[in-house]
Amino acid sequence: MLKFERIVAMCDYSLEHYQSRPARQDEKYVSNRFPSGSIGFVVPGDQSVAVCMTCDTRIKLENVPMMLQLRLGLSPVETVTFVRIEGGFYHDGVRFENGRVLSLQELGPGITAWLVDALADPLPQFEPQRQTAFAEAQ
């Protein structure tokens, strides 16, 4: 059975004053700074409509800023999982394959994104202790 978060597309509540719609497979998006200052995804050429994604959606990102690449050990192109972040003002975020989680605010504007597979299983969470224990067991 699917979790509720995977059924309902969500946008950060900071974008609730804007029109929004769910993301679609095979569509290109770009991270955009809305007039409120919030970052969200839009279809290029239409910055008035926020594109919402479900939790656990896998996304391919391009144009990851060099500063983030150096600071977090990332590549210019990364596959991430869309996640909900608790405990802060902004809740939309992405989890990288190396386990780092960033809010869309930290990613900034100008990053190109595509859905890898909206129905695919999410990327595994980074758990170094479990990975170490697994490696020792073999």
Side-chain angles (χ1 to χ4, degrees), residues 32-78:
N32 176 67
R33 185 176 308 279
F34 285 84
S36 66
S38 296
I39 305 279
F41 287 107
V42 297
V43 174
D46 185 3
Q47 282 96 21
S48 65
V49 179
V51 175
C52 305
M53 301 189 188
T54 59
C55 286
D56 296 337
T57 297
R58 293 180 59 210
I59 308 163
K60 178 181 175 183
L61 300 179
E62 290 186 352
N63 307 324
V64 174
M66 181 61 73
M67 179 182 69
L68 290 177
Q69 292 177 47
L70 295 173
R71 190 179 78 178
L72 303 176
L74 304 174
S75 300
V77 177
E78 291 276 343

